[in-house]
Amino acid sequence: MKKQTKKETPLSIEPRPQNPIESLIRMERLPHMWCPGCGIGISMGAFARAVLESGIDQNLLSVVSGIGCTGRVAGYLRLDSFHTTHGRAIPFATGLKLANPKLKVVVYSGDGDLTSIGGNHLIHAARRNVDLTVILVNNLNYGMTGGQFGPTTPHEAFGTTAPYGNYEYPLNLPYLMDVCGANYVARWTVYHVRQLTRAMVEAMNKDGLSFIEVISPCPELYLRRNRLGDALQEMVYLKENSRIQNGAETRSVAIEQKRQEIIVGKFVDRERPGYIQAMDEHLGKAMGARYQRPSFWEK
Amino acid sequence: MPAKGPRGKVHTVADRCKGCGFCIEFCPLKALRASGTMNRGGFHFPEIVTPDKCSGCNMCGMVCPDFAIWSEKLISEKDESES
Ligand SMILES: Cc1ncc(C[n+]2csc(CCOP(=O)(O)OP(=O)(O)O)c2C)c(N)n1
Ligand code: SF4
Ligand code: SF4
Ligand code: SF4
Ligand SMILES: [Mg+2]
């Protein structure tokens, strides 16, 4: 018989301490695919804390993403989440909300997904003030496909498809959402993680369309190609070059240059009727007693 | 007399860390540093240098993109005796 070797097996293993947000994350899928220093993970942590802090019923919360590095958020959240096709998160989310208005529906996706291929949906969701929260992670390029320039890439920044620099000018997203009619418009960077979390709670409590632009470093592609330093340098840059200006005129908050001051804050917070309320009010008036909400809504 | 003691406790899961350094940079009390050893991925994960300083503010946890560090608030003996 072999003699007993070395240590005895401990009778009990001390449980590993748990990060409080782990209840909202599919821990079995970690480590996640995001590069070291990528800001998307910070935004997702903020979202998880916002869900916990808001006390929102997680059984009635649904997250919809499109395609891209940011789109992967849907797969990492332990919530009813959907990873839709490229650009189509908003139409999918709109259908979900209208099929079951009791749901709180959050669209979580990238700048390319939501403003380029999906740009028309974003415009009309804001115009209709559809009852959705849209969290747009703006890393100033298409991350997942290798750093192409898109509608948010600053003028003269480099991308794989802009080897001599981008001669186009980018969209000013808060301004766009404001003029289209969204009820709530804010911008924070991932450095402003406390304010970002608070904004997410506020946005999820609003009727109508609430929109948060999250400025986030893409160190692997955008920062490297533009020689803007590493992720940590970018975070320090965001800290030092952002100015909080709540209620700022959205037309004045464009991010057009590679290096410029970034205005952050809550820009719009108003109470236009959301899509569902507008439908109820108008059809109730126009059709009188004949107006009935879909039977499957009341459960 | 009870010593003042730390107001927070930091937890880390070293193997989740990707070494970005955000937690170390943005800790308001500069209580963290990069460890001399590497984790499974070859990254220098953070370690706490001055546990007594930690306030439990969780700034490190909030800026970590990889959910590898977070803190909890400790109720100090002082707080309890005062309440
Ligand atoms: C119909 C279609 N066209 C193109 C693609 C390729 N594609 C995948 S992700 C992506 C862009 C993603 O950019 P963004 O939304 O900014 O997300 P990021 O990766 O930067 O987070 C593109 C063009 C695709 N998957 N489907
Ligand atoms: S490519 Fe950019 S956006 Fe995508 S995970 Fe890497 S750093 Fe993040
Ligand atoms: S909890 Fe606050 S004080 Fe403690 S290590 Fe983290 S950032 Fe520093
Ligand atoms: S912030 Fe997270 S990933 Fe970055 S060094 Fe600290 S523990 Fe590691
Ligand atoms: Mg992008």
Side-chain angles (χ1 to χ4, degrees):
Chain A
M1 233 174 98
K2 274 187 189 162
K3 69 171 190 223
Q4 282 290 61
T5 47
K6 289 184 284 182
K7 282 181 280 178
E8 306 227 308
T9 320
L11 288 175
S12 66
I13 297 167
E14 218 183 294
R16 185 173 62 67
Q18 282 229 337
N19 190 335
I21 59 176
E22 285 182 22
S23 63
L24 277 158
I25 296 171
R26 295 182 195 272
M27 297 308 291
E28 68 280 9
R29 297 198 177 164
L30 296 189
H32 55 53
M33 52 79 72
W34 298 313
C35 308
C38 174
I40 299 171
I42 306 180
S43 80
M44 191 175 109
F47 180 69
R49 277 189 303 280
V51 170
L52 294 175
E53 278 170 30
S54 68
I56 220 160
D57 183 348
Q58 291 173 26
N59 289 321
L60 293 177
L61 174 62
S62 182
V63 176
V64 183
S65 290
I67 302 295
C69 296
T70 311
R72 293 297 184 95
V73 164
Y76 290 127
L77 283 172
R78 191 178 296 289
L79 287 168
D80 287 334
S81 52
F82 300 85
H83 195 189
T84 67
T85 50
H86 195 27
R88 310 300 169 221
I90 286 183
F92 186 97
T94 305
L96 198 58
K97 181 70 188 179
L98 292 182
N100 185 359
K102 285 208 186 84
L103 293 178
K104 174 57 55 187
V105 183
V106 176
V107 172
Y108 206 128
S109 209
D111 51 316
D113 183 79
L114 285 169
T115 73
S116 189
I117 188 170
N120 217 26
H121 302 302
L122 182 68
I123 288 171
H124 292 289
R127 175 183 63 78
R128 291 166 166 156
N129 215 11
V130 183
D131 305 273
L132 301 173
T133 294
V134 178
I135 298 170
L136 182 152
V137 176
N138 184 1
N139 53 18
L140 310 172
N141 75 155
Y142 293 174
M144 177 154 275
T145 41
Q148 293 81 3
F149 81 97
T152 53
T153 307
H155 185 60
E156 293 184 341
F158 296 98
T160 30
T161 45
Y164 300 101
N166 176 22
Y167 50 83
E168 300 179 11
Y169 283 86
L171 282 168
N172 174 349
L173 294 176
Y175 186 33
L176 178 70
M177 291 293 91
D178 183 4
V179 296
C180 288
N183 258 357
Y184 181 98
V185 180
R187 173 199 280 153
W188 295 102
T189 80
V190 289
Y191 167 74
H192 300 87
V193 62
R194 275 204 185 85
Q195 294 95 324
L196 176 61
T197 307
R198 207 178 315 132
M200 286 170 168
V201 173
E202 264 180 16
M204 285 192 285
N205 281 324
K206 290 280 302 181
D207 289 330
L209 192 128
S210 47
F211 175 84
I212 304 175
E213 180 182 15
V214 186
I215 306 296
S216 172
C218 169
E220 206 53 35
L221 298 166
Y222 181 79
L223 295 178
R224 176 172 300 175
R225 180 161 284 107
N226 284 285
R227 303 206 168 146
L228 293 173
D230 63 16
L232 182 56
Q233 286 168 306
E234 181 67 5
M235 286 291 276
V236 172
Y237 181 85
L238 293 175
K239 175 184 175 183
E240 289 173 354
N241 294 278
S242 302
R243 185 154 55 88
I244 299 176
Q245 203 186 335
N246 292 309
E249 274 289 335
T250 52
R251 68 167 72 227
S252 70
V253 304
I255 302 175
E256 291 195 340
Q257 307 300 326
K258 270 203 274 191
R259 281 300 183 228
Q260 65 162 79
E261 183 179 62
I262 297 171
I263 308 292
V264 295
K266 175 163 79 174
F267 304 136
V268 176
D269 191 352
R270 61 188 159 203
E271 306 290 338
R272 282 177 68 226
Y275 185 81
I276 290 172
Q277 189 192 337
M279 178 173 105
D280 278 343
E281 281 176 6
H282 180 79
L283 293 182
K285 222 167 31 191
M287 295 172 70
R290 280 181 304 138
Y291 175 59
Q292 277 185 336
R293 295 180 112 197
S295 55
F296 55 85
W297 275 16
E298 327 293 343
K299 262 189 285 175
Chain B
M1 275 288 100
K4 204 154 168 244
R7 287 169 292 151
K9 182 168 166 48
V10 176
H11 300 281
T12 52
V13 181
D15 278 338
R16 268 186 219 158
C17 171
K18 292 182 190 160
C20 65
F22 296 171
C23 55
I24 299 167
E25 172 74 24
F26 297 115
C27 167
L29 299 168
K30 298 282 168 242
L32 302 169
R33 70 167 170 219
S35 160
T37 38
M38 284 189 279
N39 68 7
R40 203 166 45 188
F43 299 109
H44 294 278
F45 53 89
E47 62 185 19
I48 185 131
V49 211
T50 45
D52 275 6
K53 272 208 219 164
C54 176
S55 68
C57 67
N58 199 35
M59 191 62 194
C60 50
M62 289 189 282
V63 294
C64 176
D66 291 88
F67 324 116
I69 186 168
W70 68 96
S71 72
E72 62 181 317
K73 285 238 185 245
L74 299 177
I75 302 163
S76 73
E77 290 174 49
K78 193 163 166 268
D79 294 340
E80 274 184 329
S81 62
E82 273 173 3
S83 62

